[in-house]
Every structure is written in C-alpha cells, then in structure tokens.
Amino acid sequence: MSQSVEKQSGKTRIQREKREQILQAALEVFAAHGFRGSTLDQIADAAKMSKPNLLYYYSRKEDIHQTLIARLMDTWLAPLKTLNANGEPVEEICAYINRKLEMARDFPRESRLFANEILQGAPHIIEMIEGELKTLVDEKAKVIEGWMDEGQLNSCDPRHLLFAIWATTQHYADFDVQVRAVLGTDKGDESRFEDAKEFLENLFCKGLKVR
Amino acid sequence: MSQSVEKQSGKTRIQREKREQILQAALEVFAAHGFRGSTLDQIADAAKMSKPNLLYYYSRKEDIHQTLIARLMDTWLAPLKTLNANGEPVEEICAYINRKLEMARDFPRESRLFANEILQGAPHIIEMIEGELKTLVDEKAKVIEGWMDEGQLNSCDPRHLLFAIWATTQHYADFDVQVRAVLGTDKGDESRFEDAKEFLENLFCKGLKVR
Amino acid sequence: MSQSVEKQSGKTRIQREKREQILQAALEVFAAHGFRGSTLDQIADAAKMSKPNLLYYYSRKEDIHQTLIARLMDTWLAPLKTLNANGEPVEEICAYINRKLEMARDFPRESRLFANEILQGAPHIIEMIEGELKTLVDEKAKVIEGWMDEGQLNSCDPRHLLFAIWATTQHYADFDVQVRAVLGTDKGDESRFEDAKEFLENLFCKGLKVR
Amino acid sequence: MSQSVEKQSGKTRIQREKREQILQAALEVFAAHGFRGSTLDQIADAAKMSKPNLLYYYSRKEDIHQTLIARLMDTWLAPLKTLNANGEPVEEICAYINRKLEMARDFPRESRLFANEILQGAPHIIEMIEGELKTLVDEKAKVIEGWMDEGQLNSCDPRHLLFAIWATTQHYADFDVQVRAVLGTDKGDESRFEDAKEFLENLFCKGLKVR
DNA sequence: CATGAATGAGCATTCATTCAT
DNA sequence: TATGAATGAATGCTCATTCAT
C-alpha cells in the first residue's frame, strides 16, 4: 500500500525528498545562527542547491522555519505524551528523563532551534505553547499529583519538576559547547551522556522515591 | 568628596551615562534577538539616540556586544566564586542555588544574552569558557568532591551537579515565556520564583544531604 | 568554429559582456575621480545597471579596481617589451615614443588610472613596479647602454631617458585639460598629437643621434 | 612698517599661524589621497587640532582646498614668469628647467596636489588655467619663438617644449614612487635629482643649441 | 578659541525575493 | 524544475558639518 502511495506521487516523492533536504540544511543553519542570523545562501549551500531553486520549494525563508518549528513541536511533545498514568511512578519519570536525554543527544539541533525560538519570545509558537503544551502539561501534572497524593512519590510542584527535567536534559544539547569545555576533551560523547544519565536518575529519582 | 570626584570627571560622567544608556538598550535588544538579529537602529531607538550618535560612543556594533559580554562574564562567575570550602556543604550549595535563582530573576536579559552566545557556539567567549570558567569549575568541583569524600554530601559527579544547577536556575530566565505560559497568568513573578526556590532546594539539597 | 566557441561559452559570454561594460564604466569613473573619490553609484550609472546588479558581477568595489589595474599593467609594459635589441637604435627608440604617444591618445583613461595610482603611492601595484617593471627596465636599460657603448647613441642615463619618455608622452593624457587649454580650442585632437609626435621625435632623436 | 602690521594684528598673527598649520597638514593629506579621498579627521590629526577647531578656521573642507590651490598657482607660475626675454636663450631655458626641478624636489606635495587637480579635470582651477596660465604661456611662447626666429635656438613648437619641461621635471615629484623603485634604493635623494638635472640639461639644451 | 556631542546625507555591501528563461 | 540575473530594502558604518558650551 505504501508502495502504491509512492507510485502515485511520482513527482511528489522527489519533491518530498528535496524538501527534506532543505529542511535538514535549514535545521543545521537555524540551530547554529538563529532565524535572523541565518541566510538563504547558507541554507542553499548546505542543501546543495541554488537559492532560486530552494525558493521554488519554500517560497519564503519564514516558511522553512515554520515548517521546522511545526514538525519540531510534535517531536518535542511526544516523550511527555507517553508518560503513562498507569505505570510505576518512579520508573515512568526515569524513563521520561532518559527519553529527553536521548533526544538531547540525538537531536541537538532541534533542541537548539527550540531554545532559540523561546529565547526570542517564542514568536512563532507561542500559541502552541499556551495551547497544546499547556494542556498536556496540565494533564500530566495531574497524573503526577495523583501519584503524590497516593504516596507513591514524594510531593513537590509537578510543573517545576517538569521544568527541571526539561532544563537539565536540554542543557546537554543547548549548552553543549560549555559542557564540553568544562568536562575537557578527554571525555567522549558516549561517556558524557552516560554520566549525565546516571547523575540525573540519581538526582530526580532518589529524591522522588518515597522511603 | 563624592562631589569633587564627580566634578573632576565632568565630561566623563556624561559619557559614562550615555554609554550605560546604550549598553542597557543593547542588552535588551541583543538578549531578545541575538547579535545578528539585532540592528543598530533597534538599539539606537531603544537608547533614544540617533544611530550616528550611538556610533560616536561605540564605533562598532561588535564593540557594544563585546562590552556587554565582558561585563557579563564577571557577573556570571561571581556566585560560584563565593562558594566557600570552609562553609557547611549543604548550606553552601543551597546558597549558591539561591544566588543563581536571584540572578535569573533580577538579570534575565543577561542570562539570555549568555544563552544566545552559547547556543551559537560561544564565538566571543569560548576562550573565557575554556580558560577562566573551566579553571573555576575544576577548583570548585574539587571542593565539592572533598565534601563528598568526607561524607558530608552524598556522592555524585560534581560537574554534572553544577550543570544541573545552572540549567534549572537559568531556565527561569531563558525559557521565561514557556514557564509563564505553562504556569498560567494567575501566578505572579514573586510566587513563581518562590515556588522555584522551594522546589530546587528540595530537589538538590534533600538529595545531597547525607542521612 | 568561432560559433562553437561562442556556443560553449553561452552564459559566460553574457557575463563577460556585462563585466566588460562594468569595467569600461569603472575605468571612466576611477580615471576621473580616483578610487576613493569614485562611488559605486557613479559606476553603476555609467554602466547602466543597478548597484546590486553591478555587485552581482564584482562583489567589491576593490575587485573592480584590481581587475582594471591588473589589466592595465599588461597594456602598460607591452610597448617597452617590444624594444628590440637587434633593431636600429634611434629607430627603436623613436618607435617606442610613438607607441607610447599613441597609447596616450587612444587610452587616456588608462593612463590617468595609472597616474592616480602612482600619485597615491601605488598601494595596489607597488609590488609589480618593484618587481616586473624594475626587471624590465633593468633589462632594457642594458640594451640602451649597449648601444651607447657601441657609439650608436649619444650617451646618457638610460633610466632617466625612459622617465623622460614616459613623462612627456603620458603628459598628453594625464594633463590633457591643461594641454587643451594652453593650446586653445582651435587645435583638434589630431593635430595636437601630430605636433607632439614631431616635437618629441625631434627632442629625443636628434639629441640621441650621433653625428 | 611690517612691524606695525604685525603689532596691529595681534590675534590675527596667531590665526595666521593656525591657518598655516592647517594648510600644511591639508597639503600633506590632499597630495597623498586626493580631495575626496582625504577626510577632515586626517587633516585635523595631522594639524594636531580637533575637527571642530579646524572648522573654526576654515568652515568647509572645500575652503581649505581652494586656499591651497590658489596659493599653489602663484608658486606654480613664478618660475615661468622669470624667464627673461633679454637673457641668453639657452641659459634662460636651462635655468627654468633647474628651477622647475628644484620645485619638484622641494615641493613634491604641491606638485602632486596640482597633478591630482588636473587629473580630475581641474574643476577648481580651470579658469585660472584658461586665463592666467594660457596668457603667460602665450607671452613666453612668443619670447621663445622670437629667439628661434633670430636663430638663437633651434626651432620647435615652444608650447610643446614647455609641456615637455613641465612633464619631465614634475615627473620626479608626481611619479616619485615609481622613480625610486626603478632606480633602486641605493640611490639617495641628492644623486637622483643631480642625475636628473644633468640628463635634462643635456636633453633640452643640447637639442636647442644651434650649432 | 576650543571641544565634546550630535546628526543628515551618503556609501559599500548584504539579503530576501522576483524575473526570465 | 532549475538557475543566472536583477533589484528594493535594509544594514553597518563614514563623514562633513552643526550645535552647545
């Protein structure tokens, strides 16, 4: 079936590939220099196409950015969505932290794109944040509060808990340069994230666990 | 006496005031839009002077930025410097967290300026980070490790501990829009930071305290 | 065949034409106002294109100037290069003077561009002058000295002889306004240069000829 | 009497000195960079005064230039004026050449200022050239023609003779960089001009002398 | 007289976007 | 689709000139 879809979209498939190529290039560039700091020339170069050709697929710089941001939001909310109200509380939260940390490791550019956006006042995603994100957080905060009320978790403000999880995990992507500099060059990527994982599990899960 | 001091710095005082005015305006703008995203027009507008007049005081956009960054680094390193090896470990760390949190509350633009800079690969401060900051962190990490070895603190990686403190506190400045949106508008500035303080003290100090 | 050559350089030909158009315009402007005294607006106007379009072909003002200067040097050294050691001495020198005079007549803008450059201390061509030009002059000076030693020419300092030839011929291009003003408007271009030719042949060749 | 004049111009004398200081500085700068290529800052620096102060004495950049040019013209015409119709022809012309060569040696900046002006089409002095200079040249050309008619000089076009004298002598000031480069660094200022003097006397006077 | 401060006009250059092919 | 060419609107910065003291 996916076969037939691909068949019937002959031109479209190529289009999709090119668009993907552009988005990857733009992600790289936007994450590194911010929206205004990035130029179409840089993106076109990174995407290995000419600037007019690039504009054939996305007619405005803004469009590329919007597309990236929109796609990012899905990825971004996914981990929290999977936090399971019926799971074992500490395990759930630990798993969430790990998922976020893996994202920081595997999608640092996305993380930086998001950070850039928020730093500038979230002009493009403020609605999504005040809407979808807030709703999701409200829901999951209730789940966590439920666990606390049941005595399964030490009690604390669940929203600030989420902030802390976001901050600490994304830090390894957003402040990467600083992290590397402070740890020194002898530490490889692997061990850096493993150490972080251990540290964060210890920090969050020991503190949350009811004894 | 302060009178005579002011007298003898006559012209200089005006210059200093104007320069300060410019720096404040630039801090606002740079923090919100990053270096490349900010224009001299924006800064001049914010400083309520003409662009050439602004350039009379700082002859290059870069100079303004550099001045801000240099000044920032002093402010930025100060709290960690005061971490006292002879103090009571948990108290010291709690105090550090509070200081950092106060800075996030009182100097959010500085925090965002710093975040912007790091996100873009720290082009202007990489040396300071690999030099002064790393040295300071190494020193304080040893202090913390000492406390852990003496059994005064639960043991963990002290550098990742610092990362976590930085991340969680600065988050309230850098991701301010998101924090506000998630918490809802009914929460005022005061309670937001008070809640954060309580949460972070709980998170870090309970976990660190040896029982 | 020239057809096929033109075909294979399709787009390039247009580019070359535009670039040529720009260079001609720039030559006019630079020769008249010097490098700093010339603006891209003037050049763009003279080339009948918009300023950004001009910058599409030469991305810096400096580049245009460099290109003109580089091309000029070739033209400039050519006449002296053809001075033939095996020719009849007085004839050779007379021919050289005539060639230089023709250049002053046919390429006055190039001459003025060169004069402008030298007047300002030759910032862009000092190397070529201390290198290529000096070497060429040394070589030809020896040729002339040879002729003098053989008694075929009255003896004099050959380098100062070259200076005198350069000065007197280029004068008709560089100081054109003054020459015209002094001679009065009734003298046409033709007769001005014919008179000059006669005068200079007389001056240099009578004096040089051994009797 | 000159004493009383100086007395009564108390302030004026200081003014004159400052103005002179400015003119010297401006001459240096204008000669090296042309009118448009020179900035008031450069001139103010060279004159060791502040830009507004400089503008107190000459309220426009143009004024300074005009003053220099006007003064230059007097100096410039002086040598030709002293060509004496009653003197010995060859001696007179030789003396003229020497005077011009001395000027090139002693006032190279004035020579370059003049050259710059003429190269740009003599916008500020075209009237003087078409008027005073042309009249003077006409007069002296007649003197020279008279000598030729009397058989005291070999006959040639007296105006082109003057051009040649101007060109060859001024060349040592205007094309100084090139002259030095071609002659090599081992030749000092003195010998350069002595060689030139000998060469030019030989060139012009041998050719003119009737045998 | 002297100078720090201020500014409008201009200038080289960049950049997103459009046009024509 | 793809691209070379073209352009208006910035953008950082310079500079002659003015203002105020």
Side-chain angles (χ1 to χ4, degrees), chain B residues 12-32:
Chain B
T12 311
R13 192 174 51 81
I14 289 182
Q15 273 240 7
R16 235 180 303 158
E17 275 168 23
K18 288 267 177 173
R19 278 168 175 267
E20 194 52 40
Q21 198 177 330
I22 291 169
L23 290 178
Q24 288 309 316
L27 176 57
E28 194 77 33
V29 176
F30 283 143

Side-chain angles (χ1 to χ4, degrees), chain A residues 11 14-15 18 36 50 52-53 56-57:
Chain A
K11 279 188 291 187
I14 288 180
Q15 275 229 7
K18 289 267 178 175
R36 298 244 357 231
S50 70
N53 194 200
Y56 172 79
Y57 291 100

